[in-house]
Amino acid sequence: MPTITDLRTRRDALSAQRSSGVARVSYDGKTVDYRSVPEIDRAIEALDREIAAGEGRRIVRQVRITTTKGL
């Protein structure tokens, strides 16, 4: 099982490549090709959940819905 440090290294590599627009990520001598930016986003979210679980906390997502009664 990877350590929290390993997970953070992977997440940082994914975040850096996502900002540069490159879909190929290399870390710890491994290379992974992603098909799209949403796929990279899902991988980052999964790593965030694993890191949170390893630290004994949960990631809480909030959704705010606002509505209007027309114009």
Side-chain angles (χ1 to χ4, degrees):
M1 180 166 190
T3 65
I4 292 176
T5 305
D6 294 336
L7 295 172
R8 284 187 179 141
T9 301
R10 291 180 194 172
R11 184 191 59 201
D12 294 342
L14 278 171
S15 296
Q17 290 303 91
R18 184 188 183 285
S19 348
S20 69
V22 176
R24 177 174 287 192
V25 180
S26 298
Y27 57 86
D28 295 335
K30 300 175 186 173
T31 302
V32 179
D33 289 315
Y34 291 93
R35 291 176 286 203
S36 64
V37 172
E39 187 176 18
I40 293 173
D41 290 340
R42 287 190 300 273
I44 290 171
E45 289 173 7
L47 287 168
D48 284 340
R49 284 191 301 274
E50 285 186 57
I51 291 167
E55 293 174 341
R57 58 185 177 83
R58 283 186 339 159
I59 294 178
V60 177
R61 304 269 188 232
Q62 291 184 353
V63 177
R64 296 185 193 267
I65 300 172
T66 57
T67 60
T68 61
K69 192 176 176 180
L71 299 173

